[in-house]
Amino acid sequence: MPNLHQQYIDGEWTDSDGETFTSENPATGDTLGEFQRATTREVDEAVAAADAAFEEWRSLSRIDRAEYLWDIYHELRDRHQELGEAVTRECGKEISEGKADVTEAWHMVEWAAGDARHPKGDVVPSEIPAKDAYMRRNPRGVTACITPWNFPVAIPFWHMAVALVEGNTVVWKPAEQTPLCGQIIAEMFDDVGVPDGVFNLLQGHGDAGAAMVEDDRVDTVLFTGSAEVGHQIAETVAADSSKRAACEMGGKNAVVVTDEADLDIAVHAAVMSSFKTTGQRCVSSERLVVHTDVYDEFKQRFVEVAERVAVGDPLDESTFMGPLVEDAHVEKVTSYNDLARTEGVDVLVDRTELPDEEIPDGHENGHWVGPFVYEADPDEPLRCTHEEVFGPHVALLEYEGDIERAVEIQNDTDYGLAGAIVSEDYRQINYYRDHAEVGLAYANLPCIGAEVQLPFGGVKKSGNGYPSAREVIEAVTDRTAWTVNNGEGIEMAQGLSADINTRDD
Ligand code: ADP
C-alpha cells in the first residue's frame, strides 16, 4: 500500500490531481494517514466505471453476486480486531464500539447475501384465469453512497451490501474524517476480486459528494449524515424525476421517563442514550422528559453518573466516552453549552473542559469534552432544546400530567428519528407507540442500538427513506408489474371489450 492513499476506480488504485488531506486520531492528534482528495475528474471517472460495469454485473444471478459479498463477510470477520481498532483510532469511539461497528457490518453483509436465495417479488391473482400476474424487481444502475464518520464501517455496508446484491454498481465516498477505514474496506473489495468498476472508492470532502449527486449517470443516492446536507441532496435529486435519494439524517431525540418507570432502567437507559459514543450518534438523546413524581430521584441519580462517567483513551476498555471527532466539533458543542447558559437554563453538570488530571498521558492533543447537563422548561422555545448538538449535551425536561403530555413534549421538534419510553405500564407504552413521531422507537431501553434486519431511519426532518437493510431494496430497485397471457386470445380485465370493431364497406 503506498503511503499516500489513492482512489480506487475501475479496479485500479488511481492517482488524483487534487490536494491531499490527512486523517487524524481524535484522541491523540496523531496523523493516521495521508490521502489524495478526489476532484471532479475522479468523480467523473468513477461514475463512468460504475456505469460501464452495470450491464455485466446485473446479468449475473443474484446468487452469484452474493458470492462476492460472502467473501467480504469473511474478510470482515478475519480482520475484526484490526478494523475495530482502526475505527476507534480514527473516530474515537471506545473500543467495544469500534469492534461492534465491524460486527454490524458483517451482519449486514450476511443479511443481504443470505437474502439473495430468498424469494423476491410477488405473484398476484388475475381476474382472467389465463393470465399470470407478478411483480419483478430490477436494479436501477449506479448507486452513489455517501456516508458519515461515526459508523465508518457499518453504515457503508448498510448502503452497499444490498445495492450490490440487487445488481447495482457502487461509487462510495466515506467521510473525510475516516478515510483509513474506507481504504481498508476498498482493499477488501480488491482482494476478493469484485469485477472492475462494480465497486469504486472516492476519498474526499463534500465537494466530491455534491459532484456525485449531480452526475446524470447516478441513478440512486444513499446518504447518511447531517440534516443540512441531506436536505440539499434531496432537493437536487427532486429536480430529476429519474433519480432517487434515500437519506437518513439527524435528530433531537428524547427518552421519556414516566411516573411508572423502573428508575434503575431509566437512569441506565438515559446515560447510554446521552453519552455513549460521546453523544455523537444520530439516535443519541439530548432530551430527557421526566415525570414530576420521579423527577427529583431521577435527576439526583442521573447527575451522579454524569459527574463520574469515565472519559478517556478509547482504546482502553474501562473508558465509557472517547473524544469528540475533531476540533471544529469541540467548538460546536462548546458553543451550544454556552448558548444554553445564555438562554437561562439551570446547569447541573458542566464538564465541558476536562481538568488536566482526567486527560490520559499522551492524549493532551485529543478533542476532549465531557457531559453537560441542565434543566429547562419544556414550554420554552429554546434553541438548545430544539437544535441537534451531536454531543454529550443533555436537557432534563420535567412534565406533569399524563402520557399525552410527555408525548407532546417528545414530538415538539422538527426531527423524528428515534425515541424511547421507560415505563412498566403497558397502556403508557401503547399510547407512546401510537403517537410518538419517530422512525425508531424503544421501550425500556436506551434510544440507541440497531439490528440490521430492522429498517433504520426517521420521519419528519430526519429522513425521506430508509438507507439501511431490507428497506434499501426499495431505494435501489424499480418494480415492474407483469401480466402474462397464457390464453388463446386476448381477454381484458374489468370486462373491457377486446373486440376490434370494424366498419363494413
Ligand atoms: P456530519 O455532520 O456527520 O459530518 P455531513 O452531512 O457533513 O455529516 O457529512 C456526511 C457525508 O456527506 C460526508 O461523507 C461528507 O463528506 C458528505 N458531504 C458533505 N457535504 C456534502 C454535499 N454538499 N453533498 C454531498 N455530500 C456531502
Side-chain angles (χ1 to χ4, degrees), residues 151-221:
F151 284 82
V153 183
I155 291 179
F157 280 102
W158 287 2
H159 293 189
M160 297 192 298
V162 172
L164 289 169
V165 169
E166 291 302 324
N168 301 273
T169 54
V170 160
V171 180
W172 171 40
K173 195 196 83 59
E176 53 272 33
Q177 295 88 349
T178 51
L180 186 61
C181 292
Q183 168 78 23
I184 296 171
I185 291 168
E187 284 168 20
M188 291 180 180
F189 277 96
D190 191 39
D191 287 349
V192 307
V194 169
D196 295 350
V198 168
F199 164 89
N200 304 275
L201 169 82
L202 292 174
Q203 297 280 20
H205 294 60
D207 54 334
M212 288 160 67
V213 173
E214 278 157 23
D215 194 300
D216 288 343
R217 295 160 298 180
V218 167
D219 301 285
T220 313
V221 180

Side-chain angles (χ1 to χ4, degrees), residues 27 311-313 352-369:
V311 185
D313 177 3
T352 309
E353 274 186 49
L354 288 190
D356 288 349
E357 60 273 17
E358 280 196 44
I359 296 172
D361 286 347
H363 293 72
E364 294 76 12
N365 295 327
H367 310 309
W368 303 108
V369 171

Side-chain angles (χ1 to χ4, degrees), residues 2-9 12-23 33-39 41-42 45 172-176 179-180 183 201-205 207-208:
N3 287 332
L4 180 61
H5 301 299
Q6 300 160 294
Q7 321 297 329
Y8 185 75
I9 299 174
E12 300 284 340
W13 293 101
T14 308
D15 280 324
S16 58
D17 302 331
E19 298 160 10
T20 61
F21 67 107
T22 53
S23 168
E34 193 175 5
F35 295 82
Q36 296 186 354
R37 182 170 168 169
T39 66
R41 194 196 80 180
E42 288 79 51
E45 286 174 4
W172 171 40
K173 195 196 83 59
E176 53 272 33
L180 186 61
Q183 168 78 23
L201 169 82
L202 292 174
Q203 297 280 20
H205 294 60
D207 54 334

Side-chain angles (χ1 to χ4, degrees), residues 10 46-57 142 169 196-198 217:
D10 205 13
V47 175
D51 196 31
F54 175 56
E55 268 315 311
E56 205 165 317
W57 181 244
V142 178
T169 54
D196 295 350
V198 168
R217 295 160 298 180

